[in-house]
PDB file of all heavy atoms in Angstrom:
ATOM      1  N   GLY A 132     -30.826  90.348 -25.558  1.00  0.00           N
ATOM      2  CA  GLY A 132     -31.676  91.133 -26.450  1.00  0.00           C
ATOM      3  C   GLY A 132     -31.782  90.576 -27.852  1.00  0.00           C
ATOM      4  O   GLY A 132     -32.113  91.308 -28.788  1.00  0.00           O
ATOM      5  N   GLY A 133     -31.492  89.270 -28.006  1.00  0.00           N
ATOM      6  CA  GLY A 133     -31.516  88.655 -29.344  1.00  0.00           C
ATOM      7  C   GLY A 133     -32.787  87.845 -29.586  1.00  0.00           C
ATOM      8  O   GLY A 133     -33.725  87.870 -28.782  1.00  0.00           O
ATOM      9  N   THR A 134     -32.767  87.106 -30.671  1.00  0.00           N
ATOM     10  CA  THR A 134     -33.925  86.281 -31.050  1.00  0.00           C
ATOM     11  C   THR A 134     -33.438  84.910 -31.475  1.00  0.00           C
ATOM     12  O   THR A 134     -32.336  84.743 -32.004  1.00  0.00           O
ATOM     13  CB  THR A 134     -34.703  86.920 -32.218  1.00  0.00           C
ATOM     14  OG1 THR A 134     -33.824  87.072 -33.342  1.00  0.00           O
ATOM     15  CG2 THR A 134     -35.285  88.245 -31.812  1.00  0.00           C
ATOM     16  N   LEU A 135     -34.274  83.933 -31.210  1.00  0.00           N
ATOM     17  CA  LEU A 135     -34.035  82.550 -31.640  1.00  0.00           C
ATOM     18  C   LEU A 135     -35.253  82.060 -32.386  1.00  0.00           C
ATOM     19  O   LEU A 135     -36.333  81.878 -31.777  1.00  0.00           O
ATOM     20  CB  LEU A 135     -33.723  81.655 -30.440  1.00  0.00           C
ATOM     21  CG  LEU A 135     -33.551  80.162 -30.734  1.00  0.00           C
ATOM     22  CD1 LEU A 135     -32.428  79.930 -31.743  1.00  0.00           C
ATOM     23  CD2 LEU A 135     -33.308  79.362 -29.455  1.00  0.00           C
ATOM     24  N   LYS A 136     -35.146  81.888 -33.676  1.00  0.00           N
ATOM     25  CA  LYS A 136     -36.276  81.501 -34.506  1.00  0.00           C
ATOM     26  C   LYS A 136     -36.138  80.043 -34.901  1.00  0.00           C
ATOM     27  O   LYS A 136     -35.074  79.602 -35.343  1.00  0.00           O
ATOM     28  CB  LYS A 136     -36.310  82.380 -35.768  1.00  0.00           C
ATOM     29  CG  LYS A 136     -37.499  82.107 -36.659  1.00  0.00           C
ATOM     30  CD  LYS A 136     -37.480  83.046 -37.877  1.00  0.00           C
ATOM     31  CE  LYS A 136     -38.647  82.739 -38.804  1.00  0.00           C
ATOM     32  NZ  LYS A 136     -38.632  83.623 -39.997  1.00  0.00           N
ATOM     33  N   LEU A 137     -37.232  79.302 -34.738  1.00  0.00           N
ATOM     34  CA  LEU A 137     -37.253  77.873 -35.096  1.00  0.00           C
ATOM     35  C   LEU A 137     -38.169  77.639 -36.283  1.00  0.00           C
ATOM     36  O   LEU A 137     -39.313  78.108 -36.294  1.00  0.00           O
ATOM     37  CB  LEU A 137     -37.749  77.033 -33.903  1.00  0.00           C
ATOM     38  CG  LEU A 137     -36.942  77.127 -32.589  1.00  0.00           C
ATOM     39  CD1 LEU A 137     -37.543  76.216 -31.548  1.00  0.00           C
ATOM     40  CD2 LEU A 137     -35.478  76.752 -32.834  1.00  0.00           C
ATOM     41  N   ASN A 138     -37.657  76.949 -37.277  1.00  0.00           N
ATOM     42  CA  ASN A 138     -38.441  76.523 -38.449  1.00  0.00           C
ATOM     43  C   ASN A 138     -38.365  75.003 -38.511  1.00  0.00           C
ATOM     44  O   ASN A 138     -37.463  74.442 -39.114  1.00  0.00           O
ATOM     45  CB  ASN A 138     -37.904  77.158 -39.723  1.00  0.00           C
ATOM     46  CG  ASN A 138     -37.893  78.661 -39.677  1.00  0.00           C
ATOM     47  OD1 ASN A 138     -38.885  79.272 -39.260  1.00  0.00           O
ATOM     48  ND2 ASN A 138     -36.804  79.315 -40.137  1.00  0.00           N
ATOM     49  N   LEU A 139     -39.341  74.342 -37.882  1.00  0.00           N
ATOM     50  CA  LEU A 139     -39.324  72.891 -37.770  1.00  0.00           C
ATOM     51  C   LEU A 139     -40.427  72.295 -38.629  1.00  0.00           C
ATOM     52  O   LEU A 139     -41.601  72.661 -38.493  1.00  0.00           O
ATOM     53  CB  LEU A 139     -39.504  72.466 -36.309  1.00  0.00           C
ATOM     54  CG  LEU A 139     -38.524  73.062 -35.313  1.00  0.00           C
ATOM     55  CD1 LEU A 139     -38.818  72.536 -33.910  1.00  0.00           C
ATOM     56  CD2 LEU A 139     -37.077  72.760 -35.700  1.00  0.00           C
ATOM     57  N   ALA A 140     -40.031  71.414 -39.523  1.00  0.00           N
ATOM     58  CA  ALA A 140     -41.029  70.717 -40.318  1.00  0.00           C
ATOM     59  C   ALA A 140     -41.835  69.751 -39.453  1.00  0.00           C
ATOM     60  O   ALA A 140     -41.309  69.210 -38.483  1.00  0.00           O
ATOM     61  CB  ALA A 140     -40.346  69.962 -41.466  1.00  0.00           C
ATOM     62  N   GLU A 141     -43.057  69.563 -39.801  1.00  0.00           N
ATOM     63  CA  GLU A 141     -43.938  68.707 -38.998  1.00  0.00           C
ATOM     64  C   GLU A 141     -43.896  67.279 -39.521  1.00  0.00           C
ATOM     65  O   GLU A 141     -43.549  67.001 -40.680  1.00  0.00           O
ATOM     66  CB  GLU A 141     -45.369  69.237 -39.052  1.00  0.00           C
ATOM     67  CG  GLU A 141     -45.517  70.629 -38.440  1.00  0.00           C
ATOM     68  CD  GLU A 141     -46.972  71.102 -38.485  1.00  0.00           C
ATOM     69  OE1 GLU A 141     -47.796  70.402 -39.074  1.00  0.00           O
ATOM     70  OE2 GLU A 141     -47.215  72.217 -37.967  1.00  0.00           O
ATOM     71  N   ASP A 142     -44.270  66.370 -38.623  1.00  0.00           N
ATOM     72  CA  ASP A 142     -44.420  64.942 -38.948  1.00  0.00           C
ATOM     73  C   ASP A 142     -43.134  64.342 -39.543  1.00  0.00           C
ATOM     74  O   ASP A 142     -43.177  63.498 -40.432  1.00  0.00           O
ATOM     75  CB  ASP A 142     -45.571  64.765 -39.971  1.00  0.00           C
ATOM     76  CG  ASP A 142     -46.910  65.266 -39.425  1.00  0.00           C
ATOM     77  OD1 ASP A 142     -47.084  65.162 -38.191  1.00  0.00           O
ATOM     78  OD2 ASP A 142     -47.708  65.734 -40.229  1.00  0.00           O
ATOM     79  N   LEU A 143     -41.977  64.715 -38.975  1.00  0.00           N
ATOM     80  CA  LEU A 143     -40.753  64.071 -39.350  1.00  0.00           C
ATOM     81  C   LEU A 143     -40.553  62.793 -38.550  1.00  0.00           C
ATOM     82  O   LEU A 143     -40.836  62.747 -37.351  1.00  0.00           O
ATOM     83  CB  LEU A 143     -39.548  64.983 -39.112  1.00  0.00           C
ATOM     84  CG  LEU A 143     -39.396  66.174 -40.062  1.00  0.00           C
ATOM     85  CD1 LEU A 143     -38.199  67.015 -39.671  1.00  0.00           C
ATOM     86  CD2 LEU A 143     -39.259  65.718 -41.512  1.00  0.00           C
ATOM     87  N   GLU A 144     -40.086  61.767 -39.191  1.00  0.00           N
ATOM     88  CA  GLU A 144     -39.839  60.504 -38.516  1.00  0.00           C
ATOM     89  C   GLU A 144     -38.657  60.623 -37.567  1.00  0.00           C
ATOM     90  O   GLU A 144     -37.743  61.416 -37.813  1.00  0.00           O
ATOM     91  CB  GLU A 144     -39.592  59.390 -39.530  1.00  0.00           C
ATOM     92  CG  GLU A 144     -40.768  59.129 -40.454  1.00  0.00           C
ATOM     93  CD  GLU A 144     -40.438  58.052 -41.469  1.00  0.00           C
ATOM     94  OE1 GLU A 144     -39.294  57.560 -41.443  1.00  0.00           O
ATOM     95  OE2 GLU A 144     -41.326  57.697 -42.291  1.00  0.00           O
ATOM     96  N   PRO A 145     -38.597  59.827 -36.520  1.00  0.00           N
ATOM     97  CA  PRO A 145     -37.437  59.827 -35.611  1.00  0.00           C
ATOM     98  C   PRO A 145     -36.162  59.422 -36.344  1.00  0.00           C
ATOM     99  O   PRO A 145     -36.192  58.733 -37.375  1.00  0.00           O
ATOM    100  CB  PRO A 145     -37.817  58.817 -34.527  1.00  0.00           C
ATOM    101  CG  PRO A 145     -39.299  58.715 -34.610  1.00  0.00           C
ATOM    102  CD  PRO A 145     -39.673  58.928 -36.029  1.00  0.00           C
ATOM    103  N   ILE A 146     -35.030  59.831 -35.813  1.00  0.00           N
ATOM    104  CA  ILE A 146     -33.725  59.507 -36.404  1.00  0.00           C
ATOM    105  C   ILE A 146     -32.983  58.554 -35.455  1.00  0.00           C
ATOM    106  O   ILE A 146     -33.278  58.512 -34.258  1.00  0.00           O
ATOM    107  CB  ILE A 146     -32.874  60.763 -36.682  1.00  0.00           C
ATOM    108  CG1 ILE A 146     -32.555  61.482 -35.364  1.00  0.00           C
ATOM    109  CG2 ILE A 146     -33.597  61.697 -37.643  1.00  0.00           C
ATOM    110  CD1 ILE A 146     -31.576  62.602 -35.505  1.00  0.00           C
ATOM    111  N   TRP A 147     -32.063  57.814 -36.033  1.00  0.00           N
ATOM    112  CA  TRP A 147     -31.254  56.858 -35.252  1.00  0.00           C
ATOM    113  C   TRP A 147     -29.982  57.553 -34.801  1.00  0.00           C
ATOM    114  O   TRP A 147     -29.082  57.838 -35.586  1.00  0.00           O
ATOM    115  CB  TRP A 147     -30.943  55.664 -36.145  1.00  0.00           C
ATOM    116  CG  TRP A 147     -30.246  54.516 -35.450  1.00  0.00           C
ATOM    117  CD1 TRP A 147     -28.941  54.148 -35.635  1.00  0.00           C
ATOM    118  CD2 TRP A 147     -30.767  53.615 -34.484  1.00  0.00           C
ATOM    119  NE1 TRP A 147     -28.624  53.063 -34.855  1.00  0.00           N
ATOM    120  CE2 TRP A 147     -29.761  52.699 -34.136  1.00  0.00           C
ATOM    121  CE3 TRP A 147     -32.005  53.454 -33.898  1.00  0.00           C
ATOM    122  CZ2 TRP A 147     -29.915  51.685 -33.228  1.00  0.00           C
ATOM    123  CZ3 TRP A 147     -32.184  52.446 -32.993  1.00  0.00           C
ATOM    124  CH2 TRP A 147     -31.161  51.564 -32.639  1.00  0.00           C
ATOM    125  N   ALA A 148     -29.881  57.855 -33.496  1.00  0.00           N
ATOM    126  CA  ALA A 148     -28.761  58.654 -33.001  1.00  0.00           C
ATOM    127  C   ALA A 148     -28.559  58.413 -31.505  1.00  0.00           C
ATOM    128  O   ALA A 148     -29.399  57.835 -30.822  1.00  0.00           O
ATOM    129  CB  ALA A 148     -29.027  60.164 -33.270  1.00  0.00           C
ATOM    130  N   ASP A 149     -27.433  58.904 -31.053  1.00  0.00           N
ATOM    131  CA  ASP A 149     -27.117  58.892 -29.605  1.00  0.00           C
ATOM    132  C   ASP A 149     -27.676  60.192 -29.024  1.00  0.00           C
ATOM    133  O   ASP A 149     -27.217  61.288 -29.347  1.00  0.00           O
ATOM    134  CB  ASP A 149     -25.577  58.862 -29.426  1.00  0.00           C
ATOM    135  CG  ASP A 149     -25.193  58.701 -27.972  1.00  0.00           C
ATOM    136  OD1 ASP A 149     -25.598  59.554 -27.160  1.00  0.00           O
ATOM    137  OD2 ASP A 149     -24.430  57.768 -27.656  1.00  0.00           O
ATOM    138  N   ARG A 150     -28.670  60.048 -28.144  1.00  0.00           N
ATOM    139  CA  ARG A 150     -29.367  61.223 -27.642  1.00  0.00           C
ATOM    140  C   ARG A 150     -28.411  62.170 -26.879  1.00  0.00           C
ATOM    141  O   ARG A 150     -28.479  63.388 -27.017  1.00  0.00           O
ATOM    142  CB  ARG A 150     -30.512  60.778 -26.715  1.00  0.00           C
ATOM    143  CG  ARG A 150     -31.326  61.946 -26.136  1.00  0.00           C
ATOM    144  CD  ARG A 150     -32.390  61.431 -25.175  1.00  0.00           C
ATOM    145  NE  ARG A 150     -33.378  60.630 -25.917  1.00  0.00           N
ATOM    146  CZ  ARG A 150     -34.468  61.167 -26.509  1.00  0.00           C
ATOM    147  NH1 ARG A 150     -34.666  62.473 -26.448  1.00  0.00           N
ATOM    148  NH2 ARG A 150     -35.296  60.392 -27.146  1.00  0.00           N
ATOM    149  N   PHE A 151     -27.564  61.590 -26.064  1.00  0.00           N
ATOM    150  CA  PHE A 151     -26.671  62.396 -25.228  1.00  0.00           C
ATOM    151  C   PHE A 151     -25.752  63.259 -26.092  1.00  0.00           C
ATOM    152  O   PHE A 151     -25.640  64.483 -25.914  1.00  0.00           O
ATOM    153  CB  PHE A 151     -25.864  61.502 -24.313  1.00  0.00           C
ATOM    154  CG  PHE A 151     -24.812  62.215 -23.523  1.00  0.00           C
ATOM    155  CD1 PHE A 151     -25.126  62.990 -22.418  1.00  0.00           C
ATOM    156  CD2 PHE A 151     -23.431  62.148 -23.914  1.00  0.00           C
ATOM    157  CE1 PHE A 151     -24.139  63.693 -21.708  1.00  0.00           C
ATOM    158  CE2 PHE A 151     -22.478  62.818 -23.208  1.00  0.00           C
ATOM    159  CZ  PHE A 151     -22.840  63.593 -22.098  1.00  0.00           C
ATOM    160  N   HIS A 152     -25.083  62.627 -27.064  1.00  0.00           N
ATOM    161  CA  HIS A 152     -24.152  63.379 -27.887  1.00  0.00           C
ATOM    162  C   HIS A 152     -24.870  64.305 -28.859  1.00  0.00           C
ATOM    163  O   HIS A 152     -24.310  65.371 -29.194  1.00  0.00           O
ATOM    164  CB  HIS A 152     -23.221  62.396 -28.638  1.00  0.00           C
ATOM    165  CG  HIS A 152     -22.265  61.683 -27.747  1.00  0.00           C
ATOM    166  ND1 HIS A 152     -21.268  62.317 -27.069  1.00  0.00           N
ATOM    167  CD2 HIS A 152     -22.186  60.363 -27.413  1.00  0.00           C
ATOM    168  CE1 HIS A 152     -20.587  61.433 -26.353  1.00  0.00           C
ATOM    169  NE2 HIS A 152     -21.117  60.234 -26.559  1.00  0.00           N
ATOM    170  N   LEU A 153     -26.023  63.931 -29.337  1.00  0.00           N
ATOM    171  CA  LEU A 153     -26.777  64.824 -30.177  1.00  0.00           C
ATOM    172  C   LEU A 153     -27.205  66.069 -29.394  1.00  0.00           C
ATOM    173  O   LEU A 153     -27.172  67.187 -29.930  1.00  0.00           O
ATOM    174  CB  LEU A 153     -28.011  64.106 -30.743  1.00  0.00           C
ATOM    175  CG  LEU A 153     -28.911  64.921 -31.679  1.00  0.00           C
ATOM    176  CD1 LEU A 153     -28.110  65.512 -32.835  1.00  0.00           C
ATOM    177  CD2 LEU A 153     -30.051  64.055 -32.198  1.00  0.00           C
ATOM    178  N   THR A 154     -27.563  65.898 -28.142  1.00  0.00           N
ATOM    179  CA  THR A 154     -27.872  67.049 -27.281  1.00  0.00           C
ATOM    180  C   THR A 154     -26.686  67.949 -27.123  1.00  0.00           C
ATOM    181  O   THR A 154     -26.776  69.193 -27.257  1.00  0.00           O
ATOM    182  CB  THR A 154     -28.384  66.577 -25.903  1.00  0.00           C
ATOM    183  OG1 THR A 154     -29.520  65.713 -26.074  1.00  0.00           O
ATOM    184  CG2 THR A 154     -28.755  67.759 -25.036  1.00  0.00           C
ATOM    185  N   ASN A 155     -25.512  67.381 -26.849  1.00  0.00           N
ATOM    186  CA  ASN A 155     -24.305  68.168 -26.726  1.00  0.00           C
ATOM    187  C   ASN A 155     -23.948  68.879 -28.039  1.00  0.00           C
ATOM    188  O   ASN A 155     -23.466  70.025 -28.054  1.00  0.00           O
ATOM    189  CB  ASN A 155     -23.131  67.308 -26.298  1.00  0.00           C
ATOM    190  CG  ASN A 155     -23.226  66.877 -24.837  1.00  0.00           C
ATOM    191  OD1 ASN A 155     -23.967  67.466 -24.070  1.00  0.00           O
ATOM    192  ND2 ASN A 155     -22.525  65.821 -24.490  1.00  0.00           N
ATOM    193  N   LEU A 156     -24.200  68.212 -29.149  1.00  0.00           N
ATOM    194  CA  LEU A 156     -23.923  68.808 -30.457  1.00  0.00           C
ATOM    195  C   LEU A 156     -24.771  70.066 -30.652  1.00  0.00           C
ATOM    196  O   LEU A 156     -24.250  71.113 -31.072  1.00  0.00           O
ATOM    197  CB  LEU A 156     -24.208  67.789 -31.563  1.00  0.00           C
ATOM    198  CG  LEU A 156     -23.996  68.188 -33.015  1.00  0.00           C
ATOM    199  CD1 LEU A 156     -23.558  66.992 -33.828  1.00  0.00           C
ATOM    200  CD2 LEU A 156     -25.285  68.754 -33.632  1.00  0.00           C
ATOM    201  N   LEU A 157     -26.065  69.973 -30.350  1.00  0.00           N
ATOM    202  CA  LEU A 157     -26.942  71.158 -30.488  1.00  0.00           C
ATOM    203  C   LEU A 157     -26.506  72.252 -29.545  1.00  0.00           C
ATOM    204  O   LEU A 157     -26.479  73.446 -29.923  1.00  0.00           O
ATOM    205  CB  LEU A 157     -28.396  70.737 -30.203  1.00  0.00           C
ATOM    206  CG  LEU A 157     -29.022  69.790 -31.243  1.00  0.00           C
ATOM    207  CD1 LEU A 157     -30.357  69.284 -30.736  1.00  0.00           C
ATOM    208  CD2 LEU A 157     -29.191  70.505 -32.564  1.00  0.00           C
ATOM    209  N   HIS A 158     -26.171  71.907 -28.320  1.00  0.00           N
ATOM    210  CA  HIS A 158     -25.721  72.916 -27.367  1.00  0.00           C
ATOM    211  C   HIS A 158     -24.435  73.616 -27.858  1.00  0.00           C
ATOM    212  O   HIS A 158     -24.307  74.854 -27.727  1.00  0.00           O
ATOM    213  CB  HIS A 158     -25.459  72.288 -25.996  1.00  0.00           C
ATOM    214  CG  HIS A 158     -26.692  72.210 -25.135  1.00  0.00           C
ATOM    215  ND1 HIS A 158     -27.334  73.311 -24.628  1.00  0.00           N
ATOM    216  CD2 HIS A 158     -27.385  71.135 -24.667  1.00  0.00           C
ATOM    217  CE1 HIS A 158     -28.381  72.954 -23.910  1.00  0.00           C
ATOM    218  NE2 HIS A 158     -28.442  71.627 -23.912  1.00  0.00           N
ATOM    219  N   SER A 159     -23.506  72.837 -28.427  1.00  0.00           N
ATOM    220  CA  SER A 159     -22.262  73.419 -28.901  1.00  0.00           C
ATOM    221  C   SER A 159     -22.486  74.403 -30.028  1.00  0.00           C
ATOM    222  O   SER A 159     -21.932  75.511 -30.063  1.00  0.00           O
ATOM    223  CB  SER A 159     -21.314  72.316 -29.354  1.00  0.00           C
ATOM    224  OG  SER A 159     -20.902  71.515 -28.276  1.00  0.00           O
ATOM    225  N   LEU A 160     -23.314  74.029 -30.992  1.00  0.00           N
ATOM    226  CA  LEU A 160     -23.568  74.893 -32.138  1.00  0.00           C
ATOM    227  C   LEU A 160     -24.331  76.146 -31.730  1.00  0.00           C
ATOM    228  O   LEU A 160     -24.004  77.258 -32.169  1.00  0.00           O
ATOM    229  CB  LEU A 160     -24.356  74.125 -33.221  1.00  0.00           C
ATOM    230  CG  LEU A 160     -23.590  72.996 -33.911  1.00  0.00           C
ATOM    231  CD1 LEU A 160     -24.505  72.275 -34.914  1.00  0.00           C
ATOM    232  CD2 LEU A 160     -22.363  73.507 -34.630  1.00  0.00           C
ATOM    233  N   LEU A 161     -25.324  76.002 -30.876  1.00  0.00           N
ATOM    234  CA  LEU A 161     -26.066  77.172 -30.410  1.00  0.00           C
ATOM    235  C   LEU A 161     -25.201  78.053 -29.515  1.00  0.00           C
ATOM    236  O   LEU A 161     -25.306  79.280 -29.550  1.00  0.00           O
ATOM    237  CB  LEU A 161     -27.332  76.726 -29.698  1.00  0.00           C
ATOM    238  CG  LEU A 161     -28.385  76.054 -30.599  1.00  0.00           C
ATOM    239  CD1 LEU A 161     -29.495  75.459 -29.721  1.00  0.00           C
ATOM    240  CD2 LEU A 161     -28.982  77.076 -31.560  1.00  0.00           C
TER     241      LEU A 161
END
């Protein structure tokens, strides 16, 4: 019964990162 609100800026350039661990990082925080 909750909400998840996204505020994403447009036209941001890609970042240099490890996709797998960045995905796990987002999952952990959320």
Side-chain angles (χ1 to χ4, degrees):
T134 58
L135 176 58
K136 183 179 179 181
L137 301 181
N138 300 316
L139 305 180
E141 298 181 355
D142 300 329
L143 288 179
E144 297 178 358
I146 63 171
W147 185 251
D149 185 304
R150 181 183 295 273
F151 173 77
H152 291 294
L153 180 55
T154 302
N155 288 341
L156 180 148
L157 292 171
H158 273 294
S159 294
L160 293 177
L161 292 171

